Amino acid sequence: MNMRQSTSSFGHSLRRTIVTGGAGFIGSHLCDSLLQRGDEVICIDNLYTGSIRNIRPLLNHPHFQFIEHDVRIPLRIEGEIDRIYNLACPASPCHYQRDPIGTMKTCVVGTISTLELALQKSARFLQASTSEVYGDPEIHPQPESYVGHVNPIGPRACYDEGKRAAEAVIFDYHRLHGLEIKVARIFNTYGPRMLENDGRVVSNFIVQALRGEPITVYGSGKQTRSFCFIDDLIRGLDLLMESPASITGPVNLGNPQEMTIEAIAREVLARTKSKSRLRFEPLPVDDPKRRKPTIDAAKKILGWRPEVPIEKGIEATVAYFALRLATREPETKRPTRGRPGQSERAWLAVTSQ
Ligand code: NAD
Ligand code: UDP
């Protein structure tokens, strides 16, 4: 383990951790959790789908630094680094398909530049991989041993194949250079801080229900997903990162409670007490028909299982979006609130270069 030996003002040693994609939905919750347990956190994000709003409360934290940077460009960071969580990548189909070549480069080139940094710093590297590596699965539920069923030339391929290539190169860095790696295959995760226009199903349905707009169900609504609340996922990522070095994964992290998309729509309508009606729209190309993780490995190796039931998770997410839609806080690309702290000055220094 490469623990940095500097000490905080509270007298305990600080671990220095990078989170790429740290201004995004999952990344910002991860930054919160790492700071809470005493890490020094460097958040790297190009704000493609991330938002300053997600990390604004952290900007004046003495152990938090935000660097606006695109991971496709090699990264130089002063000092030692102990841990790197590689989350940088748009995750919602409409956003990763908006710039498919850019998405593929983020997955592959971005991961390689982040791996190079990990190698240079002897840092442990955790990859946010995805259930999309299984594509439209032919076996159900999906264990980690399943090699997948991905259409390599379809509109989802920039993400699915990009993430598969990322896994390949991560394991090569491990085999060739002995880099300590961890690969988490994350299944559909939802919660506060998804973008209003994120495009993924839970945030879409909640925003539509709260606005009294039609709920856009794609296809018949009989396709399934298994939804994991953000707090459960963050706990799983932490356990995986801190597991013994011999554990590389891939490890599925997801909630095995499988639901149809129509059932999710009904759950959202119940929790919002909305009168919105369902509007059926065409199913996107290559949309997987069923998805459910096998989590035996996570249970056995990490002692992890999801704890937040869907009703509670949806309730918390509805409460977040209700407040956000009511306050109509504008989307900003710049950290503007409060006096500039250390992190904001660092951000200004980087962006003014
Ligand atoms: P998100 O879109 O909210 O976050 C992604 C973050 O990465 C954003 O802040 C974005 O600005 C940043 N980013 C994108 N391209 C970048 C680049 N080239 N350089 C620097 N930053 C860049 O999505 P999320 O749901 O928080 O997903 C985070 C990670 O978890 C992604 O890697 C995603 O593939 C993975 N994942 C998420 C889910 C899920 O259900 N949420 C499921 C499987 C995997
Ligand atoms: N979906 C839907 N309406 C929406 C958004 C998504 O019916 O407004 C469907 C989508 O077709 C898919 C499922 O919900 O079958 C999950 O979609 P999402 O984009 O959230 O995640 P992914 O397809 O990547 O699992």
Side-chain angles (χ1 to χ4, degrees), residues 226-227 254-259 291-295 299 304 306:
S226 305
F227 294 97
N255 190 325
Q257 191 196 341
E258 185 184 4
M259 294 177 79
R291 182 182 291 154
K292 169 181 169 162
T294 297
I295 59 162
K299 282 185 189 163
W304 178 86

Side-chain angles (χ1 to χ4, degrees), residues 93 96-97 132 136 151 153-157 160 218 225 282-288:
Y96 67 65
Q97 290 172 22
E132 290 283 332
D136 189 5
N151 174 5
I153 57 169
R156 295 176 87 98
D160 298 11
Y218 302 157
R225 295 293 186 272
L283 189 69
V285 176
D286 290 338
D287 199 275

Side-chain angles (χ1 to χ4, degrees), residues 91-94 96 130-132 156 159 188 194 198-205 208 215-219 221 223-225 227 261-262 281-284 287-289 291:
S92 169
C94 68
Y96 67 65
T130 168
S131 53
E132 290 283 332
R156 295 176 87 98
Y159 182 75
N188 298 66
M194 298 178 87
D198 181 276
R200 283 175 282 185
V201 68
V202 174
S203 50
N204 266 14
F205 285 2
Q208 290 162 347
I215 307 284
T216 53
V217 177
Y218 302 157
Q223 71 273 32
T224 69
R225 295 293 186 272
F227 294 97
I261 296 308
E262 188 175 347
E281 295 189 357
L283 189 69
D287 199 275
K289 287 179 268 312
R291 182 182 291 154

